[in-house]
Amino acid sequence: MIYEDENCLYLRNGNELLEVRPWGTNSLRIRSSKYAHYTERNNALTEPIDGNHAIVSVNENQRKGEITNGNLTAKIDAFKNLSFYNQRGKLLLKGFQRNRIDDMSAGIDTDKVNHFNSALNIDSREFKSNLGGDFELKVRFESDPQEKLFGMGQYQQDFLNLKNAKLELAHRNSQASVPFVLSNKGYGMLWNNPAIGDVNFAKNVTEWHSLSTKEMDYWITCGDTPSEIEEQYANVTGKVPMMPDFAMGYWQCKLRYRTQDELLAAAREFKARNLPISVIVIDYFHWPKSGEYMFDKKYWPEPEKMIEELHSLGIKLMVSVWPTVDEESSNYKDMSEKGYLVQTERGVPITMNFLGNNGFVDFTNPDAQDYLWQLLKKNYADKGVDLFWLDEAEPEYTVYDFDNYRYYDGTNLQVGNAYPIGYSKSIYDGQTKDGNENVINLVRCAWAGSQKYGALVWSGDIDSSFQSLRNQLAIGLNMGIAGIPWWTTDIGGFHGGVDDDDHFRELVTRWFEFATFCPVMRMHGDREPHTEPLSNEGGGKMPSGGATEPWAYGERAYDIMKKYMVLRENLKDYIRDQMTNAHEKGTPVIRPLFYNFSDDSHAWDVEDEFLFGNDILIAPVLYEGETKRNVYLPAGTNWVNAFNGGVETGGKTIIVETPIQQIPIYIRQSEFDVLQSAFEVLK
């Protein structure tokens, strides 16, 4: 039975109720459940939307219906299948069904002709009951082998187009599932379900899969350009705050400044060398025990005085916090009794084993969010700490047995991917209540909607290699398309770099050049060789990695890095404009070439270049020993070489020399006069 109710389209099919509801501009939300009622959880769709202005029509005799919201139309046919069309009648997406007509009276003749009869008995929506209740869910769509798909978040792979890829819908260290996909066919789709599962963009079928859920929930939008689709998505899931000016500069971090004196010595050296620096970071285990959420007084005896000096130098302080609570810490018993920690279905409630037995704070619990913020406020924010680094945000279970963890909001299988949203929200809410309007916090994971809580996502503990650098380029671009415009990466990678190794010095230099044009430019890494621990107690237990400061890699690398740091400062006005677009419209700060040049068919195939904002094209050097590389310049404008002022017409591929101090940088000719002076430092 197909019917209309309050300007929505419904299908009643036995105990399944399917709803198609207008939700934002040119957009529809689709839910289905075999329960009597929907959960009424909006998940990522949290933003207010305009009134319901859809046009609905139902043909009861032919058992079909359609709903149009702006330029998007959804149709339910006589065989209970859904399909979506744009304003020109172009098919965007259609449910995958392989069954046959048992009732020959169903539908009109044309429906019978167009229905592909199959004995496979596969439906586009499959609810399979789990023991104990709820459902394993599979939702299938027809696959177009020529389609190009982008977004979906952060997966450690070096390709941008996700067609024919299978992706786990789950978080791990260095993996963030943000399930929004943009198609070159002119639509975007959000899998609005935080359940653990996977998606397969296969050649023969597209299949979304949740291991345990109460309902199907996805959102679809259409647009004539990628920017139109992206902006409509941002309007329903939220937008980043305005990035504060200081955050647009250079951030210095390492594993790990062990003491107050070490940190201040590094900060003073930056100033003595006249190097621009905006933020310096205190990494993990500066605390006496996980879950204490305070400085270890033995190594950080005067944090207020330290922060006062940093501020006098024009440097903001970021401090790492973990969601781990050691069972021997002073807060563990209280948090455990109040239900503020993640629970296990089997075995003891220890979810991470690292320098002690730890539980994780349950950030799906609003009371746990507030409890943690009060500790951070008392021991960090009230002492002058400016920013927080929300590490372990997946969370990083010692064993990723997703079926073994239970949250306040439900089982990990059902709601686990929402965990990092609660983590960011807890600190964002606390800071905004204290009057901080432009919140930005570094976080190691995200789901759809995290951006509105000031989440600056970084790509986790990654390898120090050119392969890893290639991965980061694809990741940063797909994160932006997935709706997370603030993204960064450890310059040089996290694991394995050796400061005095010539191969690593080449890598870190090339990475530094790339990072100059990332949304945030941040040095970090666990360099070799390690230092010995300072003691066997508290914050002295952990060793530190080698130096990461720009002067640690020899004079040649240092001279290059200094120029790019100055360039970053010179581009502040330009960066501010791009951050304004991210804040107001959800525009990715870095984006694939097709984002601005969607009419150029070749731009959809370029995966090793990107646009930094609207007007600067970057072609990073991604291979060791590469002294030249091909660069494609999109059609529709002329491009100016930032180093020599040479002008090239768009729509062609050129060969560009890449000595160690240069990566190909091209500027739209119309904006060259405005930006030219910023790049003089590189000449």
Side-chain angles (χ1 to χ4, degrees):
M1 180 174 68
I2 299 174
Y3 62 94
E4 174 190 2
D5 186 28
E6 295 184 352
N7 221 207
C8 298
L9 182 64
Y10 290 90
L11 166 68
R12 168 61 73 182
N13 179 28
N15 62 348
E16 179 197 18
L17 181 63
L18 174 76
E19 175 193 80
V20 186
R21 175 179 293 271
W23 200 281
T25 305
N26 305 323
S27 307
L28 298 165
R29 182 184 184 187
I30 298 87
R31 288 186 291 180
S32 178
S33 180
K34 290 196 173 184
Y35 282 99
H37 304 283
Y38 299 122
T39 64
E40 301 307 327
R41 288 182 175 176
N42 285 333
N43 297 320
L45 299 175
T46 57
E47 300 307 289
I49 54 175
D50 293 335
N52 188 337
H53 305 300
I55 300 170
V56 184
S57 63
V58 173
N59 188 322
E60 294 182 3
N61 292 331
Q62 297 176 349
R63 290 186 278 182
K64 62 172 62 173
E66 66 180 64
I67 178 171
T68 298
N69 183 26
N71 293 333
L72 181 64
T73 295
K75 298 181 181 181
I76 303 177
D77 64 24
F79 313 107
K80 308 175 186 65
N81 198 14
L82 257 174
S83 54
F84 301 91
Y85 301 81
N86 68 11
Q87 72 273 22
R88 291 179 290 276
K90 176 185 175 183
L91 177 64
L92 303 174
L93 197 62
K94 182 179 181 179
F96 177 97
Q97 286 195 176
R98 295 294 184 269
N99 49 29
R100 59 188 173 192
I101 303 174
D102 293 319
D103 179 2
M104 294 305 294
S105 67
I108 61 174
D109 290 340
T110 55
D111 276 339
K112 293 177 184 177
V113 171
N114 292 330
H115 181 79
F116 183 82
N117 272 292
S118 171
L120 294 173
N121 194 25
I122 297 173
D123 288 324
S124 59
R125 302 177 301 279
E126 179 185 326
F127 289 85
K128 182 179 179 181
S129 181
N130 288 331
L131 292 177
D134 301 331
F135 301 91
E136 179 182 4
L137 173 67
K138 293 181 180 179
V139 179
R140 305 180 181 98
F141 296 98
E142 296 283 356
S143 171
D144 177 353
Q146 304 307 314
E147 187 175 19
K148 295 178 173 64
L149 299 170
F150 307 90
M152 292 301 298
Q154 180 166 283
Y155 294 87
Q156 295 295 329
Q157 53 205 22
D158 62 1
F159 49 89
L160 194 59
N161 180 8
L162 300 173
K163 186 62 180 175
N164 298 323
K166 182 178 181 180
L167 306 174
E168 182 183 42
L169 299 178
H171 305 314
R172 297 172 183 262
N173 184 340
S174 78
Q175 176 175 296
S177 174
V178 188
F180 175 77
V181 63
L182 182 147
S183 167
N184 68 330
K185 296 178 69 172
Y187 71 88
M189 177 182 160
L190 169 70
W191 181 250
N192 190 37
N193 188 331
I196 304 298
D198 55 78
V199 60
N200 197 338
F201 298 117
K203 184 176 182 179
N204 61 326
V205 66
T206 293
E207 182 179 87
W208 297 82
H209 176 212
S210 294
L211 290 168
S212 179
T213 190
K214 296 182 184 300
E215 65 190 13
M216 180 188 81
D217 189 348
Y218 64 89
W219 176 89
I220 185 169
T221 190
C222 72
D224 292 330
T225 63
S227 59
E228 185 179 0
I229 294 169
E230 200 72 30
E231 289 166 21
Q232 289 164 185
Y233 171 52
N235 285 340
V236 298
T237 59
K239 300 161 190 168
V240 289
M242 181 60 195
M243 182 176 280
D245 272 13
F246 72 83
M248 302 175 199
Y250 172 83
W251 297 31
Q252 172 60 32
C253 183
K254 66 167 291 186
L255 183 99
R256 44 192 276 278
Y257 292 114
R258 299 173 296 175
T259 69
Q260 180 174 317
D261 290 340
E262 284 186 2
L263 183 87
L264 287 174
R268 292 165 186 157
E269 184 65 17
F270 271 91
K271 291 301 175 178
R273 291 172 178 261
N274 199 29
L275 293 174
I277 177 174
S278 297
V279 177
I280 197 165
V281 185
I282 301 175
D283 201 350
Y284 74 132
F285 241 85
H286 62 268
W287 48 75
K289 195 182 297 292
S290 288
E292 298 293 356
Y293 298 105
M294 63 175 62
F295 290 105
D296 186 327
K297 293 180 181 179
K298 181 175 181 179
Y299 304 104
W300 308 87
E302 299 177 297
E304 295 97 330
K305 184 177 178 180
M306 173 188 67
I307 295 168
E308 183 180 354
E309 180 176 345
L310 291 173
H311 287 173
S312 73
L313 297 173
I315 302 173
K316 302 289 187 180
L317 178 65
M318 170 175 275
V319 168
S320 168
V321 294
W322 283 22
T324 51
V325 183
D326 192 306
E327 64 181 353
E328 295 184 358
S329 69
S330 60
N331 295 309
Y332 182 87
K333 182 178 180 181
D334 189 36
M335 297 183 76
S336 179
E337 289 179 349
K338 291 177 176 176
Y340 292 170
L341 302 178
V342 173
Q343 299 300 302
T344 54
E345 305 282 37
R346 308 177 298 276
V348 296
I350 298 303
T351 48
M352 188 183 194
N353 179 258
F354 181 79
L355 294 181
N357 294 323
N358 299 275
F360 279 105
V361 179
D362 181 356
F363 285 110
T364 72
N365 185 332
D367 293 332
Q369 293 177 16
D370 183 66
Y371 185 99
L372 181 74
W373 170 249
Q374 294 307 319
L375 291 173
L376 300 186
K377 173 177 167 57
K378 175 184 176 182
N379 295 323
Y380 294 117
D382 287 351
K383 296 181 184 299
V385 169
D386 304 287
L387 310 154
F388 289 96
W389 177 358
L390 312 181
D391 209 343
E392 298 290 326
E394 301 78 23
E396 187 183 10
Y397 294 112
T398 294
V399 180
Y400 288 109
D401 283 342
F402 297 113
D403 64 326
N404 192 33
Y405 306 111
R406 181 174 290 273
Y407 299 143
Y408 172 88
D409 256 0
T411 67
N412 188 14
L413 285 181
Q414 291 190 355
V415 303
N417 286 330
Y419 183 94
I421 289 185
Y423 197 0
S424 288
K425 184 177 185 297
S426 62
I427 282 66
Y428 175 88
D429 286 348
Q431 290 175 308
T432 52
K433 286 177 184 177
D434 283 356
N436 185 350
E437 295 181 358
N438 297 326
V439 172
I440 178 171
N441 290 305
L442 189 66
V443 62
R444 205 174 69 186
C445 200
W447 196 64
S450 289
Q451 66 277 0
K452 62 180 169 283
Y453 299 120
L456 164 63
V457 185
W458 103 96
S459 55
D461 297 346
I462 54 175
D463 187 47
S464 293
S465 65
F466 275 95
Q467 176 61 60
S468 184
L469 175 56
R470 294 192 289 275
N471 293 350
Q472 306 322 301
L473 172 57
I475 287 168
L477 297 179
N478 271 332
M479 280 292 276
I481 294 297
I484 310 292
W486 290 355
W487 176 87
T488 187
T489 179
D490 294 354
I491 295 175
F494 183 73
H495 290 294
V498 181
D499 288 345
D500 60 0
D501 178 79
D502 288 340
H503 296 283
F504 179 69
R505 287 182 173 184
E506 179 186 354
L507 172 68
V508 74
T509 301
R510 291 306 196 187
W511 210 309
F512 202 94
E513 293 164 351
F514 160 69
T516 303
F517 304 98
C518 287
V520 164
M521 182 185 187
R522 172 181 157 273
M523 174 67 78
H524 187 48
D526 182 8
R527 306 284 187 255
E528 300 289 349
H530 282 83
T531 64
E532 292 296 322
L534 294 173
S535 70
N536 61 358
E537 60 184 16
K541 285 183 178 180
M542 288 300 300
S544 176
T548 63
E549 294 80 13
W551 53 86
Y553 312 106
E555 285 301 316
R556 184 175 71 161
Y558 173 67
D559 289 342
I560 296 169
M561 291 179 181
K562 183 173 183 178
K563 288 180 179 180
Y564 279 87
M565 292 171 77
V566 173
L567 172 61
R568 180 80 183 192
E569 288 294 309
N570 293 347
L571 288 171
K572 278 281 189 74
D573 289 343
Y574 177 81
I575 296 171
R576 188 178 301 109
D577 289 342
Q578 312 317 312
M579 294 302 175
T580 300
N581 289 335
H583 169 56
E584 294 179 351
K585 298 188 292 184
T587 309
V589 179
I590 58 174
R591 74 287 293 254
L593 302 191
F594 68 73
Y595 194 88
N596 288 70
F597 299 93
S598 56
D599 290 337
D600 182 344
S601 60
H602 187 66
W604 291 88
D605 296 325
V606 177
E607 301 199 347
D608 59 355
E609 305 173 23
F610 66 99
L611 294 169
F612 179 52
N614 289 317
D615 305 311
I616 301 176
L617 184 151
I618 305 298
V621 174
L622 302 171
Y623 292 88
E624 185 173 10
E626 190 170 62
T627 57
K628 59 184 177 181
R629 61 155 292 173
N630 290 342
V631 177
Y632 179 74
L633 301 173
T637 187
N638 291 336
W639 297 93
V640 183
N641 187 311
F643 291 93
N644 61 29
V647 179
E648 301 282 355
T649 57
K652 65 181 181 182
T653 298
I654 60 176
I655 299 174
V656 183
E657 300 294 325
T658 58
I660 188 63
Q661 72 275 15
Q662 292 184 17
I663 58 172
I665 303 170
Y666 283 83
I667 303 167
R668 284 187 199 249
Q669 188 176 35
S670 60
E671 301 300 318
F672 183 68
D673 289 344
V674 176
L675 295 170
Q676 179 181 12
S677 61
F679 289 90
E680 290 294 326
V681 66
L682 297 184
K683 296 180 179 178

